[in-house]
Amino acid sequence: MRVSVSWLREYVDLPADLPAGELERALVDLGIEVESIVDLAGTVTGQLVVGEVLEIEELTGFKKPIRFCRVDVGAANGTGEPQEIVCGARNFAPGDRVVVILPGGVLPGGFAIGARKTYGHNSNGMICSAKELGLGDDHSGIIVLPPDTPAKPGDDARPVVGLDDIVVEAEITPDRGYAMSVRGLARELSHVLAVPFRDPGLVPAPAGTAVPAYPVEVRDPVGCDRFAARLVRGVDPATPTPSWMRQRLTVAGIRSISLPVDITNYVMLELGQPMHAFDADRIAGPLVVRRAAPGEKLTTLDGVTRALAPEDMVIADAGLPNPLAGSGDGVPISLAAVMGGETSEVVPGTVNVLFEAAHWDPAMVGRTARRHKLFSEAAKRWERGVDPALPLVALERAVRLLVEHAGGAAGDEVLDIDHVRRRTPVVLPVELPSRRVGVDYPPARVVALLEQVGCTVARSADRLAEEPGEVGIAAADGEALSVTPPSWRPDLTDPADLVEEVVRLDGYEKVPSLLPTAPPGRGLTWPQRRNRAVSRSLAERGYVEVLAHPFVSADLADQLGLPADDPRRPAVRLANPLSEEEPLLRTMLLGPLLGIVKRNLGRGLRDLALYEIGMVFHPRPGAGRPPAMGVDRRPSDAEFAAADAVVPHQPRHVAVVLTGDIEPAGWWGAGRPAGWADAVEAGRAVLAAAGLAERQIEVRAAAYAPWHPGRCAELLVDGAVVGHAGELHPAVVAALELPRRTSAMELDLDALPVAPVAPAPMVSGYPPALIDVALVVADSVPAQAVQQALTEGAGELLESVRLFDVYASEQLGAGRKSLAYKLTFRAPDRTLTVEEAVAARDAAVARAAARHNATLRGT
């Protein structure tokens, strides 16, 4: 929100000598973030004067149109002779008054102006556009002053274009939509500076008449609870926008279009009420305010044809037949509250103007603006909340401005379809601000501050919140206040909001900065310790942790090849997603994680080992909607239970993805590409870090999307499947544009049993006995199963077992493979004899032979 201080002074009596720093501090104290406060007089140095174009010579032979101009700048150049200036703009003619900066001047941004030869002519200075002067973003042409400009050639142009003012740019938070207007900012400044305020929203305005200004039917009073309109006939279409109005619009960053349209924008900035101007002669029949029908389209004022959604609100012309809608629905001519349509816009020949001012549902407007990526100034205000009491006042203001400057006759008929509901009073215990904030606020002070922002306050003793139509906290004893917020403050709905207003207006600096005493804790929980151990284990193995957004597209399940009945297909759909392309919450980590892999591949990285620990979301079938819970009290146990029954199940998973080389190549030799075995090993590392014993873990072959059916393993703990690992399916790799042999692992951490607190391991000082065994088994026997058998058979003397070789050849026979294991034996209290070590080895081999028909290689 950009506004000049001179405009604010029309409604609030700011001190004449108020420094810019004090003004900024006052706004910040009110909770309004100030982007900048700029004294425009200092942004342009040197001679900035009014000039009159005397002659224009069109230069040819260049890539773009160039004009050589002679401009009268009076005595400002010291000679009185016409100034020669080369200019590329086309929107001016001889006789026009323009703004000229002479050599030696400096424009905003440090752009120095000098005299130089260009395009074969001497150019002494520059004719300026609004963007070059820092007054707006319009760079399509230079500033052409109105014919009635009193300044003569050579006069200082700063007062003429508004460079003698101070401009405030404030960033308005979503809960303070009322501050996106001169009216709102002036009211706020009157609070903090304790100066008089004149509310332009309280001026008298004609009420609605029995005969409307134009026939209108509102079919959805929820999306549009108030619609007002008024007609002005016989205006002069050639009347330009007054220079003072155009100047204020330019400072606010709004381009001047035509007088009727500029008036609607001016009233929006002044009062905060967005409006629209229709050419009444381009409307064929009555207007219908309704939701869009499927398949309907509308070409908006920016020239874009937009496909409308059923949630969009439109204003339709019932005089035009529409085969896509019902009888009498008409053709959309405006995307309500966002942008008008081309077919009914005000054009240069418009003589009859229909002004519309309505009140729209903020949630509907916000979703429509995001759906169409059309964040107009009107939409920004609607989604933050607009005063529903303003439409008639805004109409009166717009009509008077148009009649005053363009003539015509304002119709006595006023349309006002009003379905606005009364504000619900909020019950506020008078001691609540003091209790919540820790500062003593006397009851009289609380009442005064709430009335200062426009609330109506009724005081009563022992008033309870159970009275019909009221919300709030019941006062157990003492006094309670029944507070009715003003129409321009839709954000005041709960006692906590009123407490915030009391603190804000009384001064945040009065609230002491005291840190609460942290209660003693019991340290990290077991899941927290487990998650940290898992993360540390993967990081120590060279994996890099990433944090992905939990949002996925609707077609991700198809890209991953999940079966139609897969429980990971149903997903929670967000009511207000950040992007319509990703409206669902993830049911597995691999989807977003693979997206991060693809992004890094696109940036030139080829060897990737990434992991993420996070929650996935599984919807509860038939859960319905959660109960509405306010902020005025602690929810009951029943409300908590009802809400928990709706919340999706959110287990915590861990996932890894590998692509490229897991071991880099170099002078020491060739590298090793990552494969399915590395993903399986990552799963085993996670389970070991979670405190699970080797005997609890089992790995076996499986077929599970999105993994390759012949290179996929399922991870089991105590016989229950907790995750999968292996190489991704070639179809998945192709669909997601990933390298071949990309491997991944995903595991449900919450499905792991609680690991018992293990005693500190005993470190033996005696030497180990190292024995290697090579066992020949069938190809179908997993190496993990053979290792499990060796572990069980070897007994307590076995310290570790590790697979170090897998071998197959014709000598072993078809369908046979050799698995070589390194067995480490050690006793805690003595040096093992050869006989003890061999006996333990034989027992281990015997168990593998009995369970898997394994034989020692070479026997």
Side-chain angles (χ1 to χ4, degrees):
M1 175 68 187
R2 284 169 52 106
V3 63
S4 62
V5 172
S6 61
W7 199 355
L8 289 170
R9 290 185 185 277
E10 292 186 5
Y11 302 110
V12 61
D13 294 339
L14 299 177
D17 57 348
L18 180 66
E22 290 297 325
L23 178 60
E24 179 179 6
R25 188 176 300 107
L27 291 172
V28 171
D29 288 344
L30 289 166
I32 297 175
E33 181 180 351
V34 178
E35 292 286 337
S36 64
I37 294 185
V38 180
D39 187 349
L40 298 180
T43 60
V44 179
T45 61
Q47 289 184 296
L48 186 72
V49 300
V50 174
E52 182 176 338
V53 181
L54 301 178
E55 300 177 19
I56 297 177
E57 178 185 348
E58 303 289 345
L59 304 182
T60 59
F62 301 101
K63 293 182 179 180
K64 61 180 180 179
I66 298 297
R67 314 173 97 184
F68 178 61
C69 310
R70 291 178 176 83
V71 184
D72 179 11
V73 294
N77 58 4
T79 65
E81 296 295 324
Q83 197 82 354
E84 296 180 342
I85 300 176
V86 174
C87 182
R90 312 288 300 173
N91 65 319
F92 64 100
D96 284 344
R97 299 275 180 94
V98 295
V99 179
V100 178
I101 185 168
L102 299 180
V106 180
L107 291 173
F111 186 69
I113 303 299
R116 63 192 181 98
K117 189 171 184 178
T118 180
Y119 296 102
H121 291 75
N122 291 324
S123 182
N124 301 303
M126 187 171 74
I127 306 175
C128 302
S129 69
K131 186 174 183 179
E132 290 161 344
L133 294 177
L135 295 174
D137 296 326
D138 188 6
H139 196 51
S140 59
I142 54 93
I143 296 175
V144 178
L145 301 176
D148 58 350
T149 301
K152 62 182 184 298
D155 287 351
D156 187 4
R158 289 175 177 82
V160 178
V161 296
L163 283 176
D164 60 341
D165 208 342
I166 297 175
V167 175
V168 178
E169 183 174 3
E171 183 67 30
I172 308 302
T173 55
D175 61 328
R176 301 192 185 278
Y178 65 92
M180 293 189 73
S181 65
V182 175
R183 178 198 186 200
L185 286 178
R187 179 188 288 108
E188 292 288 276
L189 288 171
S190 72
H191 298 333
V192 70
L193 298 176
V195 293
F197 166 64
R198 296 169 294 279
D199 191 351
L202 298 181
V203 299
T209 58
V211 178
Y214 200 89
V216 176
E217 178 187 0
V218 177
R219 296 186 180 176
D220 188 345
V222 175
C224 176
D225 56 10
R226 191 168 190 182
F227 193 96
R230 197 170 176 188
L231 186 63
V232 180
R233 301 178 178 88
V235 302
D236 181 2
T239 303
T241 301
S243 57
W244 59 268
M245 182 182 295
R246 184 163 50 183
Q247 175 183 320
R248 286 179 171 178
L249 293 176
T250 301
V251 167
I254 297 178
R255 181 171 58 92
S256 176
I257 299 175
S258 64
L259 180 58
V261 175
D262 289 350
I263 287 175
T264 61
N265 288 328
Y266 183 82
V267 173
M268 175 184 68
L269 294 174
E270 184 176 62
L271 298 178
Q273 170 68 54
M275 300 180 63
H276 188 66
F278 294 95
D279 184 333
D281 296 331
R282 302 180 71 192
I283 304 175
L287 298 180
V288 178
V289 181
R290 58 174 175 83
R291 302 278 178 172
E296 285 189 308
K297 295 183 178 181
L298 171 67
T299 302
T300 47
L301 292 175
D302 56 359
V304 178
T305 300
R306 305 180 185 277
L308 303 179
E311 190 183 11
D312 295 335
M313 291 285 292
V314 297
I315 301 175
D317 185 350
L320 301 175
N322 184 357
L324 297 175
S327 176
D329 285 349
V331 174
I333 61 173
S334 175
L335 186 58
V338 178
M339 186 173 285
E342 282 188 340
T343 60
S344 60
E345 68 174 318
V346 172
V347 293
T350 297
V351 295
N352 297 321
V353 178
L354 177 66
F355 284 119
E356 166 260 311
H359 187 260
W360 308 93
D361 175 38
M364 178 274 297
V365 177
R367 286 192 286 266
T368 296
R370 284 163 177 76
R371 184 180 303 111
H372 297 284
K373 297 180 175 62
L374 196 56
F375 301 100
S376 64
E377 289 294 326
K380 292 177 184 177
R381 287 163 174 80
W382 281 121
E383 67 177 348
R384 286 167 170 80
V386 173
D387 185 356
L390 281 178
L392 295 182
V393 176
L395 284 178
E396 175 67 10
R397 177 69 165 147
V399 166
R400 294 305 163 207
L401 285 171
L402 185 59
V403 171
E404 177 183 350
H405 295 284
D412 295 330
E413 303 87 0
V414 178
L415 171 73
D416 184 19
I417 303 175
D418 188 355
H419 297 286
V420 177
R421 293 184 296 179
R422 294 178 52 194
R423 293 299 302 269
T424 302
V426 180
V427 174
L428 174 72
V430 75
E431 79 285 353
L432 184 62
S434 301
R435 193 168 73 243
R436 286 283 185 265
V437 182
V439 176
D440 183 25
Y441 297 108
R445 180 63 173 162
V446 173
V447 173
L449 291 174
L450 293 178
E451 290 178 341
Q452 189 176 345
V453 298
C455 295
T456 302
V457 183
R459 305 176 64 170
S460 60
D462 297 324
R463 188 182 182 113
L464 299 179
E466 284 77 8
E467 294 188 17
E470 292 189 329
V471 296
I473 304 173
D477 52 30
E479 188 178 15
L481 306 177
S482 179
V483 183
T484 303
S487 58
W488 59 83
R489 294 298 303 270
D491 57 307
L492 302 181
T493 59
D494 295 283
D497 302 324
L498 301 177
V499 171
E500 181 183 356
E501 283 301 290
V502 171
V503 179
R504 185 175 72 94
L505 295 178
D506 192 65
Y508 290 124
E509 71 280 359
K510 297 180 181 179
V511 180
S513 298
L514 299 176
L515 292 176
T517 302
R522 299 180 179 178
L524 298 177
T525 64
W526 176 81
Q528 290 172 326
R529 294 197 304 272
R530 176 202 62 197
N531 295 341
R532 293 190 180 189
V534 168
S535 181
R536 184 167 53 250
S537 174
L538 291 173
E540 290 171 350
R541 284 168 170 77
Y543 290 87
V544 177
E545 184 176 16
V546 295
L547 297 176
H549 288 298
F551 314 119
V552 297
S553 62
D555 58 352
L556 177 63
D558 294 330
Q559 293 176 330
L560 295 178
L562 303 185
D565 58 348
D566 195 296
R568 295 168 294 173
R569 269 189 173 274
V572 177
R573 179 175 291 274
L574 297 172
N576 189 21
L578 293 179
S579 170
E580 292 294 339
E581 297 178 356
E582 295 181 333
L584 307 179
L585 288 175
R586 65 189 178 191
T587 58
M588 54 190 303
L589 295 183
L590 279 185
L593 189 55
L594 292 174
I596 292 179
V597 171
K598 181 178 177 181
R599 187 178 305 116
N600 281 274
L601 289 169
R603 293 176 180 173
L605 300 178
R606 291 293 178 265
D607 304 325
L608 298 171
L610 308 181
Y611 79 96
E612 180 181 11
I613 299 176
M615 290 185 294
V616 299
F617 307 86
H618 296 288
R620 301 181 189 273
R625 291 181 174 272
M629 293 185 286
V631 297
D632 55 338
R633 59 179 176 82
R634 185 185 186 279
S636 65
D637 292 342
E639 288 174 327
F640 266 127
D644 286 340
V646 177
V647 173
H649 180 50
Q650 302 173 49
R652 189 172 296 273
H653 283 204
V654 59
V656 305
V657 177
L658 305 102
T659 186
D661 287 345
I662 191 70
E663 295 178 3
W667 58 266
W668 52 83
R672 182 176 69 82
W676 64 269
D678 297 293
V680 174
E681 182 59 28
R684 295 178 60 85
V686 167
L687 296 176
L692 300 175
E694 184 69 29
R695 64 179 181 276
Q696 295 178 270
I697 303 171
E698 182 181 356
V699 180
R700 66 189 184 194
Y704 192 68
W707 284 273
H708 190 299
R711 296 167 186 162
C712 172
E714 58 185 10
L715 305 170
L716 300 91
V717 174
D718 295 336
V721 177
V722 296
H724 294 80
E727 181 182 312
L728 293 179
H729 196 287
V732 174
V733 169
L736 297 178
E737 301 178 356
L738 299 173
R740 296 174 63 248
R741 305 296 188 186
T742 297
S743 301
M745 180 275 298
E746 182 161 350
L747 185 147
D748 185 355
L749 289 175
D750 286 353
L752 303 182
V754 177
V757 178
M762 182 177 294
V763 179
S764 174
Y766 294 93
L770 306 178
I771 302 178
D772 295 345
V773 295
L775 302 177
V776 179
V777 295
D779 274 343
S780 60
V781 178
Q784 169 66 25
V786 177
Q787 181 172 324
Q788 186 73 25
L790 291 173
T791 301
E792 295 175 3
E796 296 181 355
L797 293 179
L798 181 65
E799 183 176 86
S800 67
V801 56
R802 180 174 65 86
L803 175 70
F804 68 89
D805 185 44
V806 179
Y807 174 74
S809 68
E810 294 180 0
Q811 289 81 1
L812 296 178
R816 306 285 287 175
K817 64 182 178 182
S818 171
L819 303 175
Y821 296 89
K822 183 177 292 295
L823 307 180
T824 302
F825 299 95
R826 194 193 312 256
D829 56 349
R830 68 189 185 281
T831 299
L832 290 177
T833 64
V834 173
E835 291 75 12
E836 289 177 310
V838 170
R841 181 210 54 188
D842 292 343
V845 172
R847 180 66 62 89
R851 185 173 296 178
H852 302 294
N853 197 26
T855 60
L856 282 172
R857 184 176 166 188
T859 60

